[in-house]
Amino acid sequence: MGKIITGYAVRFNEETVIAGLFREKIAPGAFDKSLRERPDVLALYGHDYNRVLGRTTAGTLTLRPDRVGLDFALTPDETTPDGQTAIGTVGRQDVRGCSFGFRVTRETWAEGDYDELPLRIVEEAELHEITLTAAPAYPTTNAELLREQNRAAAIRRKMEAAMRARGIPLP
């Protein structure tokens, strides 16, 4: 098995400022419906659809929402230039954040105080892709190369996610 990149592509209930125009946070469960109904999500390098690193339907990307956020495990192809770039830049921690491409389907807005920007709470969204990036809009996201001692746990999570997706009961 190849090298694995893990982390949180999304962290729930954490605010960030989008383009200096508004604050935004993602609610827990925002991607649950999308992951159930449209489970084909890509992993990209820098939001570039020509630099595909993994895909949920190919089994090279696993996404698992938990109480913290959207946990991921990505197995890039080490024989491709983009796979090597991802492993190298994440391994050195030159790239250590994530972003995501989505379409909001349900949101609420709250006006900020006098000196605050308005707040958008994304309650439900279609998730299209996660991406490795050096400059994430949400700075608390993370990506790291899985160390050997954590490899067995990551493999187990990936297998459990595949079993759940196929409706196979977990032992």
Side-chain angles (χ1 to χ4, degrees), residues 11-168:
R11 290 198 181 246
F12 299 136
N13 288 324
E14 296 199 7
E15 284 186 27
T16 196
V17 175
I18 304 295
L21 300 173
F22 60 93
R23 295 172 298 139
E24 180 182 79
K25 70 179 176 178
I26 308 297
F31 299 115
D32 290 354
K33 181 178 178 185
S34 176
L35 291 171
R36 219 177 25 256
E37 294 179 3
R38 307 182 75 217
D40 189 20
V41 178
L42 298 171
L44 306 175
Y45 197 86
H47 290 294
D48 187 341
Y49 278 80
N50 293 310
R51 301 183 79 185
V52 176
L53 300 170
R55 183 177 217 136
T56 53
T57 55
T60 53
L61 172 65
T62 301
L63 298 170
R64 187 177 61 93
D66 62 20
R67 63 180 177 70
V68 175
L70 186 60
D71 179 59
F72 76 94
L74 168 65
T75 309
D77 184 348
E78 296 177 62
T79 68
T80 66
D82 288 331
Q84 292 170 4
T85 297
I87 291 165
T89 57
V90 171
R92 288 175 18 146
Q93 285 290 278
D94 296 328
V95 170
R96 59 178 172 238
C98 293
S99 187
F100 48 99
F102 65 104
R103 185 179 74 82
V104 175
T105 55
R106 192 175 74 232
E107 66 190 8
T108 56
W109 285 86
E111 288 299 319
D113 292 334
Y114 175 73
D115 59 344
E116 284 186 320
L117 295 169
L119 172 66
R120 173 168 86 163
I121 302 168
V122 177
E123 297 171 337
E124 186 177 274
E126 292 175 359
L127 182 64
H128 301 286
E129 49 99 353
I130 67 165
T131 199
L132 300 176
T133 182
Y138 284 85
T140 58
T141 61
N142 69 303
E144 58 190 33
L145 198 56
L146 186 66
R147 303 293 173 229
E148 287 303 317
Q149 62 268 32
N150 298 331
R151 193 185 228 11
I155 292 168
R156 186 186 75 249
R157 282 197 317 264
K158 189 173 179 179
M159 288 179 11
E160 288 173 354
M163 290 171 68
R164 275 194 297 279
R166 290 172 178 77
I168 300 169

